[in-house]
Amino acid sequence: MWVNPEEVLLANALWITERANPYFILQRRKGHAGDGGGGGGLAGLLVGTLDVVLDSSARVAPYRILYQTPDSLVYWTIACGGSRKEITEHWEWLEQNLLQTLSIFENENDITTFVRGKIQGIIAEYNKINDVKEDDDTEKFKEAIVKFHRLFGMPEEEKLVNYYSCSYWKGKVPRQGWMYLSINHLCFYSFLMGREAKLVIRWVDITQLEKRATLFLPDVIKVSTRSSEHFFSVFLNINETFKLMVQLANIAMRQLLDNEGFEQDQSLPKLKKKSPKKVSALKRDLDARAKSERYRALFRLPKDEKLDGHTDCTLWTPFNKMHILGQMFVSTNYICFTSKEENLCSLIIPLREVTIVEKADSSSVLPSPLSISTRNRMTFLFANLKDRDFLVQRISDFLQQTTSRIYSDKEFAGSYNSSDDEAKEFLKEQAWKIHFAEYGQGICMYRTEKTRELVLKGIPESMRGELWLLLSGAINEKATHPGYYEDLVEKSMGKCNLATEEIERDLHRSLPEHPAFQNEMGIAALRRVLTAYAFRNPSIGYCQAMNIVTSVLLLYAKEEEAFWLLVALCERMLPDYYNTRVVGALVDQGVFEELARDYVPQLYDCMQDLGVISTISLSWFLTLFLSVMPFESAVVVVDCFFYEGIKVIFQLALAVLDANVDKLLNCKDDGEAMTVLGRYLDSVTNKDSTLPPIPHLHSLLSDDVEPYPEVDIFRLIRTSYEKFGTIRADLIEQMRFKQRLKVIQTLEDTTKRNVVRTIVTETSFTIDELEELYALFKAEHLTSCYWGGSSNALDRHDPSLPYLEQYRIDFEQFKGMFALLFPWACGAHSDVLASRLFQLLDENGDSLINFREFVSGLSAACHGDLTEKLKLLYKMHVLPEPSSDQDEPDSAFEATQYFFEDITPECTHVVGLDSRSKHSTDDGFVTVSLKPDRGKRANSQENRIYLRLWTTENKSKSKNAKDLPKLNQGQFIELCKTMYNMFSEDPNEQELYHATAAVTSLLLEIGEVGKLFITQPAKEAGGGACTQGILGVPFSRKGPGQPYGAESAESHPASLAGDSEEHSLGGQMEDIKLEDSSPRDHGASSSMLISDDDTKDDSSMSSYSVLSAGSHEEDKLHCEDIGEDTVLVRSGQGSAALPGSTCLDRDWAITFEQFLASLLTEPALVKYFDKPVCMMARITSAKNIRMMGKALPSASDYEISALSG
């Protein structure tokens, strides 16, 4: 390819000059084998190693052309190539088009300018013609993409994110090379001193990813899969690399959970000039995602909010008259601020609330100030903004988009009535009112340490609902989705599914002790909220524990507000908690175990032995302590949770354990430990509560033990902050990632075991084979998610279904699996056969098959006995045609293209051109009689005996087989085609062809004889050439061919009726002999030999001749070198071809018993179908082909080659 001219100072270092002229030099890289040459010895090995270690572009393009003027020392690269052919074409173009022109110039600078301009012109023209668009990726990164796809055989759809120089430890030896991180794979490549090493690991297979320090190496990244561990070190920037690996592994885990492929975000913020250019567009996308995620979590913003940018600034805080240093964040719908000093001050300003944005005058005290005013008459003053003009422009753009929408947003105003008799409650309300007066009220208030102190002291009952909305961020989603909840309630009303059934079952179990849910009004509101959410988010639907949380939300918030609080809880604050497998709760259970080990080590071993942590954490976390603590105390926990997030729950759980250390250490079993913790939580009280005491489940348990001393909820929360307040949100996220890998992979393994345990008794596969097949089946589904598929991934995966039916594949995916795993898949007919089998396995007709259906078909084809295999083959062809695209056979005689190929003298066969009817008119068709050889009658007798024996031995199977429909003539032709194609790559191909020919001829006879029992002998005249009887199968002429010699071959009369007895259907069948033919003298004949391109060409085909039936042996038809792609046609004057569809005999049919019995007469076919299939070898090959597009020896861990060295 031509490249933009670049200067080269040392032209000959590490390069060999192969051609030269006064202006151009063609060079080959040392170490790259030329045509017929080696690798260049030791120097070549050194150069190859250097190229890999230094990431030289020569690994992609080992040839180049340099331009140089005679008197200059500077060279210019103008072209490079991956092959000698490509570079030679460029060289020849230069010699023909430029060399003579350059000799005209006198000034060398003019020559250089001309050459550079010419090359740049060629590149521009090429880009214009091929519609090549400029993209964000640099030339260097494009080279890396080419190298990545070439080295690892990845398809174009697999996107490279970034690549890093590092060492891979193979045993105790480090291999220096490059790590390539793509969306779905971690790859490593090394080439050192002639030894190549490759590694490919799918992100979905990773079970552990950690950064650790060892004695010898300060920084190592350890990557673990189910079967192996890999260590990488010597990174230039290990933190960036590890962060990206974590992000990609998280995407993969999300894929396992949701089965959604990765989609690149094309609407990224524009790069500033200072941004690093080496970063790919995809890496920028992922970085932007990570930043947006942290931004949303920090300010509790909706899930679809994208961060546009952030900048350092100061914020004037009127409550303490200070300029606070911090960062301003701007996104599509919000302006946010957080102080550098943690918890000092944070601010959220929705753009829907903004009325004025203006640049104030700069001064030495207040440089670059920006004033933002809101609807509730608050003004925020930011200063020290570096790019103030740019920032104002971005905010203005977003404001224009925002104001175009209509929001029915109301002023935030609480119904704060202080008519309550309780003094404490009154004091709390007054404290909040003072706070609002000083710090602002509503979504735009300043959030400071004082706000947190008020929350920890408990939110007043009358303000709780509105403050929950505010602190959780649910108020934003409610304000931006007016009317959404009402529409959802209307749509979901009266609908029934699994979720609604579960909701109905749990409605009366939701806070049954509370008066609000002892009447239909409260129950109906709970039903509407839960059902509306199930319809909003079908992937979660409904999960137990949601009813308890929602019922509490309804006590303090209006119905619509409770719905949006539930949305915030399920989708942002407790991610994945309430899906079908409660993954989020299991992840946090693992995090809690780690925290318990670090913070209460004296208790950890005891708790692990008792197995208590896993039991308690699920109930505590899923219901936010609402199900285990008295109601009036638990709502205080919910207050703190909405302000601080999940860290409050972890802190409180650790505080509960810490308070009961001595008692838990003395417990003998988990039941005793649970009783200790249950009694403690029952005793947690809220003395400030104005609610009437509500009896709790644990307190209703009667025992003789004296009551536990009361524990004040506010003191417990304060203790949790004092002892465990150092737990940070970012630490929890790191621990969550580590646990998420473990939990999801454990769940996947459990699912696999459940599926295998369920299905192992139904198939002949071993457990190991089934586990590998399940992994392949699931991988096929996931691959289609990220490399494209013909159907929607969500359609193919339904988590609500039983394990066996969760993953389903469509026909395109099945076709690929069929080609890799099924023993009958070979040749061009493979796709047709796959289509037939897919149609057979797809019992419910939804064009998707699940794992059980897939395995049932594969098991019958691979491990079934002879009868099962043949029954499967038969059933595949009894079905209707898989698609209308399949051409109908032009005539029944097309079958003879398959029936009678490769016939040797030993075969008993049946085609004859009936020559006895000398007086018939020539109708342009040859009539082919299908008749047995009289000399082989014993063979037919033997078949019947075999059939009787088989029937006796297999009564049950026979009974089953009789339920199968009969095979008609068209289906029989397709079956014959399938069998011929099936053997195309078998070592005993010829023998199997001959055996198949014998079986098909026998079945044709059986079908014809069968007609005698269902039709009366036909004696009518007329009927034309379309009537196919026992003595004739006409076929249409398709086109011109080469003539061959034949002796007096006349066509049979078109009508089967005749005056003589031998022409009746009940007449005596005539004899046919098949002899090996040698070339004969050609006689005059109007018969033609026609080649059919649709059939397989086989040059090894043996020639044969067909003896005309009758008592006259001298009437012979000699056919020379008839290939299997020929049909015999009689050409006639003015004859017309008949439509193919009218030429199938509708009365002709055979049964499965006849098919089986006929096939049993041929040992070659019996041996073929009885041949055992080595399934593990096929699975191993399939795994490697699926990963790399080629068969490779290693299947372990999806590594594509063993790392040598």
Side-chain angles (χ1 to χ4, degrees):
M1 58 183 283
W2 300 106
V3 295
N4 278 314
E6 291 180 14
E7 281 193 32
V8 178
L9 294 176
L10 293 170
N12 294 316
L14 309 180
W15 292 84
I16 300 165
T17 299
E18 295 202 334
R19 294 194 194 182
N21 60 40
Y23 294 100
F24 302 106
I25 303 168
L26 190 155
Q27 295 185 324
R28 173 173 57 85
R29 185 73 164 175
K30 288 180 182 177
H32 179 80
D35 295 348
L42 181 61
L45 291 178
L46 285 169
V47 174
T49 302
L50 275 173
D51 285 341
V52 171
V53 174
L54 301 177
D55 189 31
S56 167
S57 60
R59 290 296 296 173
V60 178
Y63 294 94
R64 71 179 183 181
I65 297 175
L66 302 180
Y67 156 75
Q68 183 207 25
T69 53
D71 298 329
S72 172
L73 295 175
V74 178
Y75 295 82
W76 299 80
T77 309
I78 59 170
C80 63
S83 66
R84 186 183 294 275
K85 181 184 175 186
E86 182 187 3
I87 207 72
T88 305
E89 286 175 2
H90 288 348
W91 179 263
E92 289 172 354
W93 186 90
L94 288 169
E95 286 189 327
Q96 290 168 16
N97 295 282
L98 280 192
L99 213 53
Q100 287 187 342
T101 311
L102 296 183
S103 59
I104 300 168
F105 289 93
E106 295 180 0
N107 189 329
E108 289 193 354
N109 289 337
D110 292 345
I111 298 175
T112 304
T113 306
F114 175 77
V115 171
R116 289 178 62 188
K118 191 73 176 173
I119 299 301
Q120 286 166 349
I122 292 170
I123 294 168
E125 187 65 24
Y126 174 83
N127 288 349
K128 185 179 176 183
I129 292 169
N130 294 278
D131 197 25
V132 176
K133 293 176 182 174
E134 285 298 314
D135 56 27
D136 292 331
D137 294 337
T138 61
E139 291 296 327
K140 188 80 172 168
F141 194 79
K142 286 177 191 171
E143 282 179 10
I145 292 171
V146 171
K147 193 189 297 186
F148 167 70
H149 287 133
R150 182 175 58 81
L151 288 174
F152 304 105
M154 294 290 176
E156 289 299 317
E157 293 85 358
E158 182 65 0
K159 304 293 185 187
L160 179 66
V161 180
N162 216 346
Y163 61 107
Y164 300 94
S165 172
C166 69
S167 290
Y168 172 72
W169 289 83
K170 179 67 176 173
K172 294 183 179 179
V173 182
R175 303 295 303 266
Q176 184 65 30
W178 290 86
M179 177 191 282
Y180 294 85
L181 304 180
S182 70
I183 289 297
N184 304 296
H185 299 89
L186 181 158
C187 305
F188 176 82
Y189 177 79
S190 170
F191 179 86
L192 290 174
M193 304 307 291
R195 303 184 98 171
E196 193 177 57
K198 288 184 187 179
L199 175 74
V200 174
I201 304 170
R202 292 191 317 179
W203 291 115
V204 289
D205 293 328
I206 289 176
T207 56
Q208 194 176 10
L209 191 62
E210 57 181 329
K211 187 173 67 172
R212 53 158 67 170
T214 65
L215 186 63
F216 300 105
L217 293 162
D219 289 312
V220 174
I221 293 177
K222 177 187 172 187
V223 180
S224 305
T225 63
R226 288 177 178 82
S227 55
S228 58
E229 293 180 344
H230 308 278
F231 295 89
F232 300 90
S233 65
V234 197
F235 289 91
L236 293 175
N237 189 342
I238 191 165
N239 290 328
E240 181 195 327
T241 310
F242 185 70
K243 199 182 289 182
L244 180 58
M245 291 169 79
V246 166
Q247 196 176 0
L248 291 169
N250 258 326
I251 290 171
M253 293 306 106
R254 176 56 53 196
Q255 198 175 59
L256 284 176
L257 274 180
D258 299 341
N259 287 273
E260 290 181 0
F262 175 85
E263 288 186 13
Q264 187 173 349
D265 184 4
Q266 303 297 338
S267 60
L268 289 175
K270 291 184 178 179
L271 276 176
K272 293 182 182 176
K273 291 179 181 178
K274 295 176 185 176
S275 300
K277 282 196 173 178
K278 191 189 172 187
V279 177
S280 69
L282 196 54
K283 175 70 166 61
R284 283 178 53 219
D285 178 10
L286 290 172
D287 287 345
R289 285 173 192 237
K291 286 178 181 175
S292 292
E293 209 169 300
R294 287 195 294 272
Y295 167 65
R296 289 193 297 266
L298 184 61
F299 297 105
R300 303 276 163 77
L301 299 177
K303 278 202 324 179
D304 55 355
E305 193 63 22
K306 292 178 187 173
L307 178 65
D308 188 68
H310 57 88
T311 182
D312 289 340
C313 68
T314 57
L315 171 66
W316 170 253
T317 49
F319 53 87
N320 60 2
K321 308 290 189 291
M322 287 177 66
H323 291 284
I324 296 177
L325 185 64
Q327 277 193 321
M328 177 195 281
F329 299 84
V330 178
S331 63
T332 322
N333 300 295
Y334 299 88
I335 298 169
C336 301
F337 173 87
T338 185
S339 58
K340 293 277 186 187
E341 188 181 331
E342 198 175 9
N343 296 324
L344 186 60
C345 180
S346 67
L347 187 64
I348 300 167
I349 310 171
L351 292 181
R352 64 178 184 272
E353 297 286 333
V354 173
T355 53
I356 301 170
V357 177
E358 59 181 345
K359 293 184 278 189
D361 295 332
S362 289
S363 66
S364 56
V365 181
L366 209 61
S368 304
L370 179 67
S371 169
I372 298 175
S373 302
T374 62
R375 277 199 269 169
N376 61 351
R377 298 185 183 82
M378 291 180 74
T379 301
F380 304 94
L381 187 63
F382 298 92
N384 291 285
L385 291 160
K386 289 178 184 173
D387 296 322
R388 185 175 63 163
D389 294 343
F390 177 76
L391 185 68
V392 170
Q393 184 59 50
R394 294 301 287 167
I395 293 172
S396 300
D397 293 344
F398 291 139
L399 274 171
Q400 285 176 356
Q401 296 168 25
T402 308
T403 49
S404 64
R405 304 174 193 156
I406 299 168
Y407 294 110
S408 61
D409 196 12
K410 298 178 296 183
E411 282 290 318
F412 181 89
S415 55
Y416 316 129
N417 47 46
S418 55
S419 60
D420 205 301
D421 296 333
E422 292 289 336
K424 285 183 180 176
E425 186 75 3
F426 175 75
L427 288 173
K428 280 185 188 177
E429 287 186 8
Q430 289 305 310
W432 276 100
K433 285 182 178 179
I434 293 166
H435 183 78
F436 290 144
E438 191 175 351
Y439 294 90
Q441 181 177 325
I443 186 71
C444 298
M445 74 177 184
Y446 295 96
R447 300 165 197 232
T448 65
E449 191 69 41
K450 183 80 179 290
T451 316
R452 187 168 79 163
E453 286 173 17
L454 283 174
V455 171
L456 296 186
K457 287 176 182 175
I459 297 174
E461 294 283 323
S462 58
M463 298 183 180
R464 187 163 269 140
E466 291 185 88
L467 279 169
W468 280 0
L469 269 178
L470 181 69
L471 299 175
S472 66
I475 191 171
N476 293 314
E477 282 145 318
K478 177 178 177 291
T480 53
H481 294 83
Y484 177 85
Y485 175 68
E486 288 85 349
D487 292 344
L488 211 52
V489 169
E490 197 176 320
K491 286 176 188 172
S492 60
M493 196 71 75
K495 301 280 177 66
C496 287
N497 57 22
L498 185 64
T500 56
E501 288 172 17
E502 290 178 348
I503 289 167
E504 287 299 324
R505 195 173 60 237
D506 285 351
L507 281 176
H508 295 279
R509 304 177 191 171
S510 314
L511 290 189
E513 62 274 12
H514 198 286
F517 298 100
Q518 291 169 0
N519 60 66
E520 187 52 38
M521 187 183 290
I523 294 291
L526 182 59
R527 178 188 292 115
R528 286 192 295 272
V529 173
L530 289 173
T531 307
Y533 186 77
F535 273 80
R536 168 188 164 86
N537 192 344
S539 62
I540 289 179
Y542 170 76
C543 172
Q544 281 189 326
M546 282 171 71
N547 59 320
I548 295 171
V549 175
T550 309
S551 57
V552 173
L553 300 177
L554 277 167
L555 290 176
Y556 293 102
K558 295 171 188 170
E559 198 174 308
E560 184 182 3
E561 293 170 346
F563 170 78
W564 287 113
L565 282 167
L566 183 63
V567 168
L569 207 67
C570 295
E571 296 175 13
R572 288 192 285 107
M573 303 190 74
L574 295 176
D576 302 321
Y577 258 59
Y578 299 107
N579 61 22
T580 48
R581 300 190 281 183
V582 292
V583 171
L586 292 172
V587 167
D588 281 351
Q589 175 186 302
V591 172
F592 181 54
E593 285 187 27
E594 273 196 75
L595 291 170
R597 186 181 60 214
D598 295 340
Y599 286 94
V600 280
Q602 69 275 30
L603 196 57
Y604 179 73
D605 292 335
C606 165
M607 296 292 279
Q608 285 294 94
D609 294 340
L610 296 174
V612 173
I613 289 180
S614 58
T615 312
I616 60 172
S617 54
L618 273 182
S619 59
W620 293 3
F621 294 169
L622 275 170
T623 64
L624 304 175
F625 285 94
L626 286 165
S627 63
V628 292
M629 228 184 238
F631 174 77
E632 63 276 9
S633 303
V635 289
V636 179
V637 178
V638 180
D639 292 343
C640 300
F641 169 76
F642 277 129
Y643 185 80
E644 289 272 34
I646 193 66
K647 67 169 282 190
V648 172
I649 307 298
F650 284 125
Q651 287 174 189
L652 200 61
L654 289 170
V656 171
L657 292 185
D658 186 61
N660 292 278
V661 168
D662 296 333
K663 290 181 181 176
L664 288 170
L665 286 172
N666 294 323
C667 290
K668 303 292 186 294
D669 55 42
D670 58 339
E672 192 179 343
M674 291 300 294
T675 304
V676 167
L677 292 170
R679 287 172 58 77
Y680 177 82
L681 289 168
D682 272 338
S683 70
V684 178
T685 58
N686 177 2
K687 291 178 181 174
D688 296 353
S689 174
T690 59
L691 296 174
I694 298 169
H696 194 263
L697 181 63
H698 288 291
S699 61
L700 295 174
L701 299 173
S702 58
D703 51 29
D704 300 329
V705 185
E706 60 185 63
Y708 204 98
E710 287 185 351
V711 179
D712 182 51
I713 182 63
F714 299 108
R715 182 176 292 126
L716 180 62
I717 288 173
R718 200 158 48 249
T719 305
S720 75
Y721 269 91
E722 287 166 2
K723 289 191 173 182
F724 311 109
T726 53
I727 298 171
R728 294 169 55 88
D730 55 350
L731 173 70
I732 290 172
E733 280 309 311
Q734 287 175 22
M735 295 168 82
R736 273 180 166 175
F737 165 71
K738 184 178 172 184
Q739 293 301 324
R740 194 176 293 120
L741 286 178
K742 193 186 296 181
V743 166
I744 292 178
Q745 297 294 16
T746 303
L747 286 171
E748 290 295 312
D749 290 343
T750 306
T751 302
K752 181 169 70 175
R753 281 196 297 273
N754 289 339
V755 169
V756 168
R757 196 182 302 122
T758 307
I759 215 170
V760 71
T761 54
E762 303 173 13
T763 73
S764 309
F765 291 117
T766 65
I767 288 177
D768 288 344
E769 286 173 341
L770 279 174
E771 286 187 348
E772 292 291 347
L773 282 171
Y774 179 81
L776 256 182
F777 189 86
K778 190 179 78 175
E780 184 67 32
H781 168 83
L782 291 171
T783 301
S784 74
C785 289
Y786 49 72
W787 288 346
S790 58
S791 60
N792 188 348
L794 292 175
D795 295 339
R796 296 191 302 270
H797 179 260
D798 184 353
S800 66
L801 291 172
Y803 288 132
L804 278 168
E805 299 172 33
Q806 280 191 12
Y807 292 108
R808 292 172 291 177
I809 58 175
D810 58 25
F811 173 64
E812 285 303 315
Q813 296 166 288
F814 176 78
K815 192 165 67 175
M817 298 280 280
F818 181 86
L820 293 172
L821 294 172
F822 280 75
W824 301 340
C826 60
H829 208 59
S830 177
D831 286 358
V832 178
L833 200 58
S835 175
R836 290 180 179 281
L837 183 56
F838 185 84
Q839 196 180 2
L840 179 66
L841 297 176
D842 181 18
E843 293 175 5
N844 60 358
D846 63 352
S847 299
L848 296 168
I849 63 168
N850 60 40
F851 184 63
R852 172 180 260 144
E853 292 166 339
F854 174 76
V855 166
S856 68
L858 186 61
S859 178
C862 294
H863 291 325
D865 59 25
L866 180 66
T867 311
E868 284 177 314
K869 288 180 180 176
L870 293 176
K871 190 182 289 183
L872 179 68
L873 192 62
Y874 182 90
K875 283 160 75 177
M876 283 160 64
H877 291 82
V878 171
L879 291 166
E881 283 299 311
S883 71
S884 57
D885 297 338
Q886 299 298 325
D887 294 332
E888 237 181 86
D890 283 311
S891 76
F893 190 76
E894 271 199 20
T896 60
Q897 293 171 247
Y898 290 87
F899 303 160
F900 311 121
E901 296 166 341
D902 289 0
I903 298 178
T904 56
E906 294 78 39
C907 289
T908 304
H909 252 93
V910 298
V911 159
L913 301 179
D914 195 336
S915 61
R916 283 170 302 144
S917 200
K918 306 284 184 184
H919 305 293
S920 64
T921 57
D922 187 357
D923 59 6
F925 290 89
V926 175
T927 307
V928 182
S929 299
L930 306 169
K931 306 179 181 99
D933 185 347
R934 192 180 282 143
K936 302 287 185 178
R937 287 287 170 81
N939 197 30
S940 291
Q941 186 68 22
E942 188 182 323
N943 293 340
R944 285 192 285 276
I945 293 167
Y946 210 120
L947 179 57
R948 277 200 296 275
L949 284 172
W950 170 79
T951 308
T952 310
E953 290 168 3
N954 298 279
K955 278 184 181 176
S956 61
K957 287 178 185 173
S958 159
K959 188 177 178 183
N960 216 5
K962 282 179 182 175
D963 297 335
L964 294 174
K966 291 186 176 183
L967 201 69
N968 66 35
Q969 199 171 65
Q971 292 164 340
F972 175 64
I973 291 167
E974 290 302 319
L975 176 58
C976 296
K977 286 183 180 180
T978 296
M979 289 179 69
Y980 268 86
N981 280 280
M982 200 185 286
F983 311 135
S984 63
E985 295 171 17
D986 195 276
N988 304 315
E989 187 177 347
Q990 290 299 314
E991 188 183 353
L992 287 165
Y993 279 162
H994 299 156
T996 308
V999 168
T1000 50
S1001 66
L1002 180 58
L1003 286 168
L1004 278 167
E1005 299 166 31
I1006 291 170
E1008 293 292 344
V1009 171
K1011 281 171 55 181
L1012 300 180
F1013 298 100
I1014 58 170
T1015 59
Q1016 293 298 319
K1019 293 272 184 179
E1020 68 271 19
C1026 287
T1027 311
Q1028 294 187 20
I1030 191 167
L1031 299 180
V1033 181
F1035 57 96
S1036 326
R1037 174 181 169 191
K1038 292 190 179 178
Q1042 297 176 352
Y1044 65 89
E1047 295 181 20
S1048 181
E1050 295 285 333
S1051 72
H1052 191 278
S1055 170
L1056 290 171
D1059 294 330
S1060 76
E1061 187 184 331
E1062 63 189 1
H1063 285 140
S1064 70
L1065 280 170
Q1068 178 65 44
M1069 294 185 188
E1070 298 184 85
D1071 302 346
I1072 298 175
K1073 281 187 182 177
L1074 298 158
E1075 298 178 348
D1076 192 14
S1077 71
S1078 56
R1080 303 288 208 289
D1081 294 332
H1082 291 268
S1085 171
S1086 60
S1087 297
M1088 309 287 285
L1089 181 127
I1090 302 202
S1091 178
D1092 187 341
D1093 293 327
D1094 292 334
T1095 56
K1096 180 178 159 293
D1097 180 29
D1098 187 353
S1099 56
S1100 64
M1101 177 83 213
S1102 62
S1103 58
Y1104 62 88
S1105 68
V1106 183
L1107 263 180
S1108 178
S1111 56
H1112 308 289
E1113 256 191 16
E1114 66 275 7
D1115 292 335
K1116 293 182 180 179
L1117 171 67
H1118 303 295
C1119 308
E1120 297 181 9
D1121 302 322
I1122 300 179
E1124 68 178 35
D1125 61 341
T1126 62
V1127 295
L1128 303 176
V1129 175
R1130 166 86 168 175
S1131 70
Q1133 300 290 327
S1135 65
L1138 291 171
S1141 58
T1142 62
C1143 297
L1144 288 176
D1145 188 344
R1146 302 190 186 284
D1147 293 332
W1148 189 100
I1150 57 166
T1151 63
F1152 173 67
E1153 295 98 318
Q1154 292 166 341
F1155 170 63
L1156 177 61
S1158 304
L1159 195 134
L1160 288 171
T1161 62
E1162 291 294 335
L1165 289 173
V1166 172
K1167 184 180 175 184
Y1168 175 84
F1169 283 105
D1170 262 344
K1171 186 169 57 179
V1173 176
C1174 179
M1175 204 62 228
M1176 283 308 287
R1178 283 181 173 273
I1179 291 169
T1180 300
S1181 172
K1183 278 159 71 172
N1184 286 315
I1185 289 170
R1186 269 285 169 258
M1187 283 298 294
M1188 298 306 301
K1190 55 189 174 185
L1192 291 154
S1194 168
S1196 165
D1197 210 11
Y1198 292 97
E1199 292 179 41
I1200 61 166
S1201 71
L1203 282 116
S1204 51

